[in-house]
Amino acid sequence: MPDKKQAPAKDNRLLVKLRPSSALRAAEARTNLQPLYDTPQPSATSAFGLDAAAPQWFLAEMPDGAASPWDLAHARVAAQLGVSESDVVFAEPDLVHDVYQDTNEEEVGAGLAAADQCEANPQDGAHGKALGPDAFAWHLDNDHSQLGAARDAVEFKPPRTRIAHLDTGYYRAHETVPEHVLRPLERSFVEGDADRHTAEDPDNRVFLVDNSGHGTGTLGILAGGKSASFGNVYLGGAPGAEVLPLRVSDRVVLLRTSALARALDYAVEQRCDVATLSMGGTPSQAWAEAVDKAYMAGLCLCAAAGNHVGFTPPQTLVYPARYSRVIAVCGVMADGRPYADLKGTALEGSFGPDSAMKAAIAAYTPNIPWPRFMCGTVIRHNGEGTSAATPQVAAAAALWLEKYKHELPRDWRRVEAVRNALFASAKMKADRKHFGNGVLQARAALNVKPVFPRDPSPKSDNSFSLFRVITGLGVVEPPPREQMFNLELS
């Protein structure tokens, strides 16, 4: 069976934004065009649920032979789809994003079952990594994230605050699976999954492939239940919240543009309050619009800043963490040092540029408890990366939203209110370069009452404004073709 890291990508598939009249005609006439989103629009006028006024996103299978996916996007898409050129608003490749690095995904050698590697690895102090206190889930204590005190201070009551968990799926048999998982609503957006109505990692049933288990680990950090092996205490930061697992990738290096866009749209449809995403990639117009829709609907998206090794990319924040309407989550080590400037081949967190750190915050990593895939009671203690930090911030956001849920409007203002609470209460604010607004203090955040700004944060943007200034093109909204070139350059 082939290594899934080498899974071939369909490089002839585009995401195309079309005006509805032409989109309907093309969709009815050609089998290679399908709506990107399943969610019907409120003013649906056709079988495709299209608003009569708004352009819509489609997936289009294009002819093979172009030099690159972006060549296809810039080619005469309209002619190949059989629509008017004026009705093609935007086009971009449905890329497989492979820039996000994460050492929490583990390979199992040929002939070995995942269960053969069920070891509770200790903390790892190599390469300059800081060790946490010798206590289970040390990152939850008052000297670190304060998540333990914060969860003790909030009682979840129906309707519970709901968190969308966008990851690689999870191992249902692990003892730390959250108590309030919404199994009937689970979905997979991974191409090739036989059952789209479950977010269970299909590797649960395959014993000779891999032991990636990324989603199992982040789910435990987010809202994990009690561990009998460690005093029967809760692992997760927000175990009382509802959790909606959404499988968006088989591996963190196989995140397809369309899968994440669809998952965010579904999270909005299911009225999720928070979303946690411990992966990312390069910029996408479809992502930007999905993020903006989620933000305007009141969904607070917490996304990993990214990881790298040494001088390899990505050195700066990945997308969608880089968008201004997303909370970007960076890393801080147990001793207060940034999760950066480590030695040798150690994984370390990405940060910057300064303009992208305005909506960033840091949480603790490495050496975080990480529930182990295919090992029902095993929790290793060397979880790392901004993947481990991100669900901590999402948990803190859920706790704050639960406390103040009866005071919050169901729109973008609740996102700004919870961001203000997390940022205002954070510690270690002086190091804006690495931590943005500071280091998470979840219990202190609960004391910050809702504050609603007059205006929303700027829209998610992929353009190079500097390019327009130095070329004399001005600072007005760039036309679609220029936006496509900007996106390709990014």
Side-chain angles (χ1 to χ4, degrees):
M1 189 170 294
D3 184 342
K4 284 186 288 186
K5 284 185 177 180
Q6 304 300 320
K10 291 184 178 179
D11 60 4
N12 65 326
R13 191 162 74 179
L14 296 183
L15 288 164
V16 186
K17 193 174 184 182
L18 299 172
R19 302 188 192 283
S21 58
S22 294
L24 278 172
R25 290 195 300 270
E28 291 168 351
R30 303 177 70 90
T31 59
N32 65 347
L33 193 67
Q34 60 178 317
L36 176 61
Y37 300 119
D38 297 326
T39 310
Q41 300 300 312
S43 55
T45 58
S46 73
F48 286 91
L50 296 178
D51 189 309
Q56 302 290 323
W57 283 98
F58 288 83
L59 276 170
E61 297 287 346
M62 306 297 286
D64 293 318
S68 76
W70 275 106
D71 288 339
L72 281 171
H74 289 293
R76 294 185 61 82
V77 175
Q80 297 186 50
L81 291 178
V83 299
S84 169
E85 187 169 343
S86 64
D87 285 334
V88 179
V89 178
F90 201 90
E92 63 175 301
D94 187 17
L95 292 177
V96 174
H97 300 260
D98 59 1
V99 301
Y100 190 91
Q101 300 189 42
D102 197 305
T103 60
N104 291 296
E105 292 195 327
E106 304 166 300
E107 288 297 318
V108 173
L112 293 176
D116 293 337
Q117 294 192 354
C118 287
E119 300 177 4
N121 301 53
Q123 293 191 40
D124 176 14
H127 306 292
K129 298 176 185 177
L131 296 176
D134 188 17
F136 177 66
W138 58 266
H139 66 291
L140 302 175
D141 67 31
N142 287 339
D143 291 331
H144 295 95
S145 72
Q146 299 184 345
L147 274 167
R151 73 185 181 194
D152 291 342
V154 176
E155 181 182 1
F156 282 79
K157 296 181 180 179
R160 297 169 184 265
T161 296
R162 180 174 292 184
I163 311 172
H165 174 255
L166 285 65
D167 214 296
T168 62
Y170 70 107
Y171 179 48
R172 282 184 177 171
H174 202 282
E175 65 176 353
T176 63
V177 168
E179 296 174 358
H180 303 286
V181 170
L182 300 170
R183 290 193 179 181
L185 299 178
E186 288 180 11
R187 292 292 185 274
S188 172
F189 298 91
V190 176
E191 184 177 348
D193 278 1
D195 187 354
R196 294 300 181 93
H197 288 81
T198 177
E200 183 182 13
D201 191 332
D203 292 333
N204 295 354
R205 301 180 294 276
V206 181
F207 296 96
L208 298 176
V209 182
D210 67 57
N211 185 26
S212 54
H214 189 267
T216 300
T218 58
L219 186 63
I221 297 170
L222 173 70
K226 295 179 179 179
S227 171
S229 306
F230 296 95
N232 207 34
V233 297
Y234 284 106
L235 169 63
E242 288 185 342
V243 180
L244 177 57
L246 302 177
R247 182 168 141 84
V248 297
S249 176
D250 201 44
R251 303 294 297 267
V252 296
V253 294
L254 294 178
L255 175 62
R256 190 178 277 281
T257 300
S258 57
L260 178 54
R262 283 172 159 168
L264 282 173
D265 187 74
Y266 182 73
V268 172
E269 178 189 348
Q270 297 303 322
R271 296 179 65 81
C272 291
D273 303 285
V274 183
T276 181
L277 175 70
S278 287
M279 58 182 73
T282 52
S284 157
Q285 184 63 23
W287 283 3
E289 293 185 18
V291 164
D292 285 346
K293 178 181 178 180
Y295 171 86
M296 297 305 290
L299 178 117
C300 178
L301 174 59
C302 304
N307 310 304
H308 66 279
V309 175
F311 294 103
T312 63
Q315 298 281 323
T316 55
L317 266 60
V318 298
Y319 291 82
R322 197 155 173 164
Y323 294 131
S324 62
R325 292 177 168 182
V326 176
I327 296 180
V329 184
C330 300
V332 58
M333 296 196 288
D335 59 3
R337 286 183 292 143
Y339 183 52
D341 301 320
L342 299 178
K343 302 173 183 177
T345 58
L347 194 72
E348 56 187 84
S350 303
F351 57 89
D354 291 345
S355 61
M357 299 296 286
K358 295 178 180 178
I361 193 171
Y364 287 91
T365 188
N367 293 315
I368 300 298
W370 188 277
R372 197 148 199 172
F373 182 75
M374 289 296 291
C375 309
T377 61
V378 176
I379 299 174
R380 58 185 180 88
H381 301 275
N382 61 340
E384 63 179 333
T386 55
S387 286
T390 302
Q392 297 173 48
V393 175
L399 291 166
W400 189 90
L401 289 167
E402 178 68 21
K403 178 176 180 178
Y404 293 104
K405 62 185 178 183
H406 298 300
E407 304 175 37
L408 302 172
R410 192 80 198 186
D411 59 26
W412 61 269
R413 289 172 292 176
R414 63 167 38 215
V415 181
E416 293 294 340
V418 68
R419 282 163 38 132
N420 174 71
L422 296 179
F423 296 165
S425 60
K427 66 179 181 180
M428 299 169 61
K429 294 176 177 290
D431 190 353
R432 293 190 63 84
K433 176 181 178 181
H434 296 101
F435 302 151
N437 291 279
V439 173
L440 178 67
Q441 297 286 270
R443 181 62 186 87
L446 295 177
N447 296 329
V448 181
K449 296 184 181 299
V451 175
F452 305 120
R454 183 175 64 180
D455 299 314
S457 293
K459 288 184 177 182
S460 302
D461 185 18
N462 299 309
S463 67
F464 286 100
S465 58
L466 177 62
F467 175 77
R468 296 182 61 75
V469 172
I470 64 177
T471 57
L473 295 173
V475 293
V476 297
E477 178 76 11
R481 180 55 61 88
E482 184 183 333
Q483 292 181 47
M484 291 167 62
F485 279 120
N486 283 335
L487 199 60
E488 183 180 3
L489 286 168
S490 296

